[in-house]
């Protein structure tokens, strides 16, 4: 008892408003639909991300294999034609491989850096 008043347990705060049960169920269903749609979009995004990363990994593995072949050829005393082309600066002789495009990009970047200096 506080100041002559008797407290009733569990009767604190505002009384809950009487919400139409059908409206409440419909809001719940709509919320569930939206949640499923967000989940679907998230999974699609992640699947696309994984597939792009897998493609990048495959390209890097191919490039690594090419470099391994070049190294083994140089160990045997042979100089691959791609490396000869890189050393002579003759980009037209370079086959259309990932290394060739990177070499072309590197040469463009170095020449662009020289222009900016």
């Amino acid at each position: 008892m506080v100041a002559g008043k008797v407290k009733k347990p569990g009767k604190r705060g505002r009384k809950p408003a009487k919400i139409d049960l059908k409206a409440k169920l419909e809001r719940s269903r709509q919320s569930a639909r939206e949640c499923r749609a967000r989940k679907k979009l998230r999974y699609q995004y992640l699947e696309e991300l994984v597939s792009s990363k897998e493609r990048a990994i495959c390209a890097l593995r191919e490039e690594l294999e090419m470099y391994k072949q070049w190294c083994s050829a140089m160990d045997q005393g042979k100089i691959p034609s791609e490396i000869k082309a890189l050393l002579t600066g003759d980009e037209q002789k370079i086959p259309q491989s990932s290394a060739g495009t990177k070499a072309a990009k590197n040469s463009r970047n170095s020449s662009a850096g020289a222009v900016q200096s």
Side-chain angles (χ1 to χ4, degrees):
M1 282 179 38
V2 177
K5 293 184 180 179
V6 178
K7 284 188 171 183
K8 296 181 183 177
K11 298 286 184 177
R12 300 177 74 188
R14 294 173 34 188
K15 293 182 182 178
K18 292 187 179 182
I19 300 173
D20 185 21
L21 189 59
K22 288 183 181 180
K24 185 176 179 180
L25 283 173
E26 186 54 38
R27 277 199 318 267
S28 176
R29 289 182 187 124
Q30 181 63 29
S31 176
R33 275 188 227 110
E34 291 170 0
C35 180
R36 286 189 295 271
R38 284 191 306 270
K39 184 177 179 181
K40 184 178 179 181
L41 286 173
R42 184 171 51 247
Y43 274 89
Q44 286 175 349
Y45 166 74
L46 291 173
E47 286 173 357
E48 289 172 6
L49 190 63
V50 166
S51 66
S52 70
K53 299 293 183 189
E54 286 174 345
R55 285 191 301 272
I57 288 170
C58 288
L60 289 170
R61 282 191 178 141
E62 289 174 5
E63 186 177 351
L64 178 63
E65 188 59 36
M66 180 184 61
Y67 290 141
K68 284 181 181 179
Q69 290 173 358
W70 287 5
C71 289
S72 65
M74 287 191 291
D75 288 342
Q76 296 171 1
K78 302 173 187 173
I79 299 177
S81 60
E82 295 91 349
I83 294 178
K84 285 181 184 178
L86 286 174
L87 292 175
T88 60
D90 194 9
E91 293 181 11
Q92 286 79 20
K93 292 183 182 178
I94 300 174
Q96 293 299 323
S97 66
S98 60
T101 57
K102 285 188 178 190
K105 286 180 186 176
N106 288 339
S107 67
R108 276 181 273 175
N109 290 341
S110 63
S111 64
V115 171
Q116 291 174 355
S117 298

